[in-house]
C-alpha cells in the first residue's frame, strides 16, 4: 500500500473550520472541552473505535474534561485525506457533547 | 450504610418517561438504539464512569448498535432513588446519540 | 462478500477449550468473572476495539465484574472461523485479568 | 475538604520504582508501551474508571500503543498520597499488558 498523498495542513484547515495547523510540523490540531471527565472519556472511546477501524490513530492528550488532538499521517510525513476523514468523524462526535 | 428505601418500578416509571417496569422482578428497563457500534460503546463508556462514581452499576447487554439496560438496587431488592438517578444520567447521555 | 462458511458450535468448541455451545442456537458462549467493574470494563473496551476492527461484534452482557459473551456469525446463521478468531482474541485479553 | 498534604515527587518515586520526577514541576511520570492500540486503550478505560471513582484524574497522552502519564494533585500544588495511590493502581493494571 502506498502512503496517502499529502494535502498539507493549510488546505486541510480550509475545509475543517474547527481545526488549525500545528506549529513546527505538518499536522492539524483541535482542542475540545467537555462538561466533565465522563463525557470526555465517552467521546474518546467512540473515537478510539473509529480510529481503530480506519487503522489511523490520533495523537491526543486528556486532562479531566479537556481533550487535545493532533492528526497527521506518519508514513506520508504530513496531513492527508485520511486525517481529514478522521477529523470529520471527531467533529461529528464532539458536536454531541461539548461544553456550551 | 443502610440499604436505600424502595420506591418500586411503577412510581419510578411515572417520573422516567422513557423507562418501563421489568417483567418478573422489581426493576426498570430501557432499550436504546444508536447509529452504530462506535456510538453505542462510547455511550457505554460514559455511563460506566458515571456508574463507577455512584458505585451503582447497571445490568446491561449490547449487540452492535443496541444497548438494553436494567436497573435495580440489589441490597434493597428493587427500585430506589439510586436507580432513578442513574436512569436520569443515562437519559441525558443517550439523548446525544440515539438513532433518529 | 459471501458469508463465511459454517463450522458449527461443536467443532469450534473442540478448538476453544474455554467455550461451550449455546443452547437453542448455533453459537458459542463464555462467561467471565473479573476482580471488579473497572477490570471488566477495561476488558470490554479492548475487545470492543478488536471487534470493530474485525467488523464482527459480540452479543454480550455485563453486571459489575461479570461479562457473558455469545458469538455467532449472523449472515452465516451460526459459528464460523470469524467467531473462532474473535474468541481467541477474547481468551488472550481475558487471561490478563480474570479473578483467580 | 482540605487539600491533601504534599509529599513531593522525590519521596514518592522512592516508593514507586517505575516512576520518575517530572521536569519543571512537582509531579511524577511514567511512560508505558503496550502491544497495540486496543491494549493501550483497554488499559486507559480501566484507569479512567479507577480515576473517576477516586475523583483524581491523570494528565495523560496516547499515541497508538504508547501511554504517557503525569500525576500531581492540583489543589495541593504537587505530589500527594493521592497520586501514589493512583500510581499504584496504574502499575497493577499496566502489569497485565505491557509489551515484553
Amino acid at each position: 500500500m502506498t502512503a496517502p498523498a499529502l494535502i498539507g495542513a493549510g488546505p486541510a484547515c480550509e475545509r475543517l473550520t474547527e481545526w488549525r495547523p500545528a506549529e513546527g510540523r505538518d499536522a492539524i490540531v483541535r482542542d475540545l472541552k467537555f462538561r466533565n471527565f465522563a463525557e470526555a472519556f465517552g467521546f474518546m472511546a467512540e473515537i478510539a473505535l473509529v480510529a481503530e477501524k480506519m487503522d489511523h490513530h490520533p495523537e491526543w492528550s486528556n486532562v479531566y474534561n479537556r481533550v487535545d488532538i493532533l492528526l497527521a499521517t506518519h508514513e506520508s510525513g504530513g496531513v492527508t485525506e485520511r486525517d481529514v476523514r478522521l477529523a470529520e468523524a471527531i467533529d461529528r462526535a464532539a458536536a454531541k457533547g461539548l461544553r456550551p
Side-chain angles (χ1 to χ4, degrees), chain A residues 64 74 76:
Chain A
Y64 194 60
H74 186 260
S76 303

Side-chain angles (χ1 to χ4, degrees), chain A residues 12-91:
Chain A
C13 290
E14 287 177 20
R15 293 159 58 192
L16 300 163
T17 57
E18 303 292 340
W19 296 72
R20 63 182 194 279
E23 291 181 27
R25 61 187 278 208
D26 188 30
I28 58 175
V29 295
R30 185 174 182 194
D31 301 337
L32 300 165
K33 186 176 278 187
F34 295 87
R35 275 176 286 254
N36 52 49
F37 181 64
E39 292 208 5
F41 198 79
F43 161 82
M44 290 180 76
E46 180 179 339
I47 295 305
L49 285 164
V50 171
E52 184 73 349
K53 191 169 195 172
M54 293 178 61
D55 199 14
H56 187 56
H57 300 86
E59 302 182 23
W60 51 1
S61 62
N62 161 249
V63 184
Y64 194 60
N65 65 333
R66 291 190 290 114
V67 182
D68 294 352
I69 309 177
L70 179 149
L71 302 180
T73 303
H74 186 260
E75 64 268 44
S76 303
V79 178
T80 70
E81 285 295 334
R82 204 177 288 175
D83 300 300
V84 173
R85 283 204 308 279
L86 183 52
E88 288 169 343
I90 287 168
D91 288 349

